[in-house]
Amino acid sequence: YADLPDQVLKIQMYKLIIQTLPKVNLAFLKRISHCLNIIFSNTEKNKMNIPNLAICLTPSIFVSKLTNSLQAI
């Protein structure tokens, strides 16, 4: 959905996706969002702005199928 030209349409699509998440996934999303918000609110002290948070967390959260397959070997 990132390639949709209309920002309002993008937001509506993401809301729809979030609304269809299983309860456990939605709970995780809420929890991680809350934690990230706390970290980000202290950017002046910890230098963890949005790009830095993304750099640190993306590899941990978004693990590829290939990575999982290699770990199983």
Side-chain angles (χ1 to χ4, degrees):
Y1 301 106
D3 59 342
L4 292 174
D6 184 7
Q7 189 70 14
V8 174
L9 183 59
K10 284 182 191 181
I11 292 170
Q12 290 173 343
M13 293 302 297
Y14 286 126
K15 284 182 179 181
L16 180 63
I17 292 168
I18 291 170
Q19 290 172 352
T20 61
L21 287 173
K23 287 183 180 182
V24 68
N25 296 63
L26 182 58
F28 172 76
L29 181 61
K30 287 180 180 180
R31 180 72 134 183
I32 195 79
S33 296
H34 177 72
C35 291
L36 292 173
N37 190 32
I38 291 171
I39 294 168
F40 178 71
S41 68
N42 292 300
T43 299
E44 292 298 320
K45 294 179 187 175
N46 61 25
K47 307 299 183 209
M48 291 302 289
N49 56 21
I50 292 175
N52 288 344
L53 285 169
I55 289 168
C56 293
L57 295 173
T58 300
S60 300
I61 295 173
F62 300 104
V63 179
S64 71
K65 290 180 182 180
L66 177 60
T67 302
N68 287 338
S69 298
L70 292 174
Q71 289 175 346
I73 297 176

